Amino acid sequence: MPKLGGVYARGDFFQQLAGAHKPSVDDMLSDRGYFGLDLSIIPLYDNIRTEDGQMYELLRNPGGNAIYSGLVIQDTTLDGKNLMFNADLTKDCATSEGSVGVREGNEAVWRSAPGIPGKAFEIRVSEDHIKWIEDGLFCLEGPMIKPGLHWYLPARDDGTYYVSHMFELSGEFQGVKARGFVAFDQVYMAKGGCLYQNRDVMMQNYGHIMWYTWATKYKDGSIDAGHFIFGHDRLGFAVFTDGNTVTATQNIESVVTPDPDHPPFAQYIRLKIDGEEWEFTPDPRGKMPAMLQKYPPTPQQEGLWKRVGDTREVDSYWAWGETETKNGCTRQSKLPTRR
């Protein structure tokens, strides 16, 4: 039976609740808060791979948040070894400034605001499908991997409520066929809060060791997709879906093996979830070293999550996330800030 490693102030738990939610266009567009928290950011982020062998990480915050208000692209075209920021691809794209979500039929729609210079964007999200267009650059769309997933970290004065919708993607990037996955997420935090920067309970207490959003599709048509967080004391969870059944648990253990040749990135991650072993294998070109100097300032790295010994043949995958080995590689009984 799990035991607490630390005793904290009233209202602080340092444990997360995770589960599934029913996708709702009305909820996507609502300005209501949850658990006393306000909508902070709407990250739309993905990984695609093109037929010519390149890999791209795409990011936009359509809600107009000041953090990365424009389109952000990291790709393998610059040095062939890592995912690097490619400003040449995004310099002429419109920012998200002034963009407001509206309902059109059964879709929530965000598009570049009138009067904002640059090439337009449009993001259309329904309860089943997404379509993301960046004028002159790409058009990608695909079905939702249902249901929606969410997690909540309560805290005495702060807290984080993270709502996620994941989709498969296909289309064209600069005229080349592309496939991948995307997450359309909405993050709620205490007033003035921002992930990684302010009133972020997990980060400010150096609580986590690993955090990933991921999906793996197999050639037999089956799929797994979810979120993993692992940290100190009782911090951490696994929530994932195969499109029908959702698993959600706090019974998670992990060991992160640092990459001795490429610190601070990971060489390998092993998880045990309800006794079942999973593994993360980094993509050889998946490191994002330039992001360490920007936002978020953590070792972000692409790769593949799957069960250890799974014999299904992988068709496509993404895993955008991070390891924070400076916080440790295995669980400590107490959060580093609360020893």
Side-chain angles (χ1 to χ4, degrees), residues 94-100 102 110-118 120-121:
T95 71
S96 300
E97 181 182 355
S99 178
V100 177
V102 296
W110 286 262
R111 55 172 61 92
S112 43
I116 297 297
F121 73 87

Side-chain angles (χ1 to χ4, degrees), residues 92 98 118 203 248 283 287:
D92 296 325
M203 298 296 168
D283 190 291
K287 297 182 293 297

Side-chain angles (χ1 to χ4, degrees), residues 11 22 38-39 88 113 136 141 153 169 179 191 254 270 327:
K22 293 181 179 179
D38 298 325
L39 182 62
D88 285 341
E141 61 183 310
L153 174 59
L169 284 180
R179 298 174 61 207
K191 186 176 179 61
S254 179
R270 190 91 163 201
N327 295 343

